[in-house]
Amino acid sequence: VEEEKVAHTAEHAFIGALQKILGQTLKVRKVEHKKNSNNDNNTAFIAIPKLDIDTVIRAEHMVNALISEGREVTVRTYASLEDAKRDNPILRANDERISGEVRVVEIANHDVTACVREHVQNLKECEFFLVTRLSKSGGEYEVDFAVGRRAKDTAISLSAKLMAVCSELGANLNTVENTAKKVKREGESSFKRLKVLSREKLQSIAPVTNGVVKLYRGVFSGLADEALQEFAGEMIAEPNTVVAVVNIYADAEEDSTGRLIFARNETMKNLDCNKTFREVVGVDGKGGGRPHFVIGIVKGEKAKEIVDKISDNILRST
Ligand SMILES: [Zn+2]
């Protein structure tokens, strides 16, 4: 297939460029040229311990320069790999996969590779080369790339995406990375502060008791879920202690929901939180857990009623 020839030849140019930049011979475990209806997916699997984006971008520039120059691609055949290597000292080859007659593909003054696939005769036919993804998987890197018309279309949609990201963040092309970092940092720090405030709020609960059981109960909104879970875990470490708290999601306007945590000290074997939760909550919630620790989702407008019922149930029956 023509498109595959084009993509595959560009792959030779790219690996050759990486070799020049890194000053080492690379081993390409395999190259895939998958076709599907809306985009071709070409992937080179390169066995290398470290490959960073800057290196890939430099190689990408080099490949496009070679395309503009119109480097010729020639193919010749040798009787054996030994012959091929004698004639081409810098030959790139997966030795173990080659036996008998060897085809050598050369991009003029750039790369010489033993390869059985089809190639174009001039890099000009590649038009444009674009790397679309770099990822590490096991001991190798996967590089996805596009060529020709596809590469141009992809470049346009990638730049459109970047512009959309800039506008969403209120940043420009020069500042977008720093803005993204700042947004992330601020989000993390707000969450930390929310957790601290949530803990303070929960720690202010005055427990109710029937003389036997100590119950921490309450309905809150907009707290950090993690804080509720931690609070419950710590409180129930104490004997004869039960926690029944709901956190209503502040951003849910209609049909608000709350996250309920209902937990007791492990030794209170005659209280099955799971069973009590199901009896009390009926159709107004779902969830469950172990006999001593239940996490449920309840209807926001029923949260207070549910917590009251749970607490009546406990204070009456223990
Ligand atoms: Zn090839």
Side-chain angles (χ1 to χ4, degrees), residues 46-215:
I46 307 168
I48 184 173
K50 179 97 191 83
L51 183 61
D52 59 38
I53 289 183
D54 287 346
T55 304
V56 170
I57 303 295
R58 281 175 68 195
E60 210 176 350
H61 274 296
M62 195 185 286
V63 172
N64 283 300
L66 298 170
I67 291 172
S68 300
E69 281 177 31
R71 290 281 174 104
E72 280 191 12
V73 182
T74 48
V75 178
R76 48 190 181 271
T77 307
Y78 294 88
S80 69
L81 187 61
E82 289 69 38
D83 287 355
K85 281 186 170 169
R86 197 179 309 119
D87 209 27
N88 306 279
I90 59 159
L91 185 74
R92 187 158 68 81
N94 282 347
D95 293 15
E96 65 272 25
R97 275 169 46 181
I98 295 168
S99 59
E101 200 178 73
V102 175
R103 268 173 86 222
V104 169
V105 182
E106 174 163 11
I107 297 171
N109 299 317
H110 181 64
D111 181 67
V112 193
T113 306
C115 184
V116 294
R117 298 203 201 193
E118 293 299 311
H119 306 81
V120 295
Q121 292 178 337
N122 191 299
L123 278 186
K124 264 205 156 58
E125 294 175 55
C126 300
E127 282 181 63
F128 183 51
F129 173 78
L130 185 74
V131 171
T132 54
R133 189 182 68 105
L134 171 68
S135 71
K136 192 176 186 180
S137 152
E140 63 184 17
Y141 278 82
E142 293 176 19
V143 180
D144 287 4
F145 60 95
V147 292
R149 175 77 191 282
R150 299 271 194 205
K152 291 176 185 174
D153 288 346
T154 306
I156 290 169
S157 64
L158 285 177
S159 76
K161 212 159 253 184
L162 183 55
M163 284 190 269
V165 169
C166 285
S167 127
E168 204 62 52
L169 290 174
N172 62 47
L173 279 182
N174 296 320
T175 61
V176 66
E177 283 159 290
N178 282 333
T179 305
K181 280 180 197 155
K182 195 173 137 225
V183 166
K184 192 179 164 209
R185 250 198 333 266
E186 282 173 357
E188 285 165 356
S189 121
S190 298
F191 183 69
K192 268 189 203 150
R193 285 198 298 256
L194 176 64
K195 256 187 88 175
V196 170
L197 291 172
S198 302
R199 287 304 300 255
E200 280 178 22
K201 189 98 187 164
L202 292 164
Q203 265 145 6
S204 74
I205 300 176
V208 290
T209 182
N210 60 1
V212 183
V213 172
K214 207 199 241 180
L215 170 67

Side-chain angles (χ1 to χ4, degrees), residues 14 19 21 27 32 90 129 163 180 189 220 234 262 279 302:
F14 175 62
Q19 289 193 154
I21 293 162
K27 189 172 160 101
E32 279 178 1
I90 59 159
F129 173 78
M163 284 190 269
S189 121
F220 305 91
E234 285 164 26
F262 177 25
E279 281 166 12
K302 299 279 183 181

Side-chain angles (χ1 to χ4, degrees), residues 108 209 228 264:
T209 182
L228 264 83
R264 58 131 168 100

